[in-house]
Amino acid sequence: EGTPAAPAASPKKKLSYLESREYESIGQRIPALEEELNRKRLAMQEAAQNAASRGPHLQEMYHDIEVSQEEINSLYERWIELEDKTR
């Protein structure tokens, strides 16, 4: 009687050497990529204010921003996946 026994703690899984290195590098790469993405966004805002740079140039800039954002999102997803393996 009394309180139920605590469930046995599951042993922590370990990342492989390569996964561990990847996990560490992702944590370092994300801030740099986010800073670069912010610079791209600011450059696009400035270019949008200049009537001569509208059109194809802005489309290229927007596409470049989308690609950068997708890369960051992908890194976050992988980082979470690796982190979950350690729980």
Side-chain angles (χ1 to χ4, degrees), residues 30-68:
I30 288 174
L33 289 171
E34 286 179 333
E35 187 175 317
E36 180 183 336
L37 178 61
N38 286 332
R39 282 195 303 270
K40 290 176 182 181
R41 286 181 173 151
L42 287 174
M44 185 173 170
Q45 287 174 354
E46 290 174 8
Q49 293 174 0
N50 180 357
S53 67
R54 291 199 172 115
H57 180 66
L58 287 178
Q59 289 175 346
E60 285 178 31
M61 294 177 85
Y62 182 75
H63 176 72
D64 193 31
I65 288 170
E66 285 182 319
V67 169
S68 294

Side-chain angles (χ1 to χ4, degrees), residues 64-78:
D64 193 31
I65 288 170
E66 285 182 319
V67 169
S68 294
Q69 185 64 62
E70 288 173 7
E71 181 179 7
I72 291 169
N73 293 346
S74 175
L75 285 175
Y76 270 119
E77 288 174 12
R78 179 63 176 152

Side-chain angles (χ1 to χ4, degrees), residues 9-40:
S10 60
K12 272 191 168 184
K13 298 176 190 173
K14 290 190 176 186
L15 298 176
S16 71
Y17 174 76
L18 291 177
E19 288 174 329
S20 180
R21 288 190 48 125
E22 179 185 13
Y23 181 74
E24 290 173 18
S25 74
I26 289 172
Q28 296 169 354
R29 289 175 51 202
I30 288 174
L33 289 171
E34 286 179 333
E35 187 175 317
E36 180 183 336
L37 178 61
N38 286 332
R39 282 195 303 270
K40 290 176 182 181

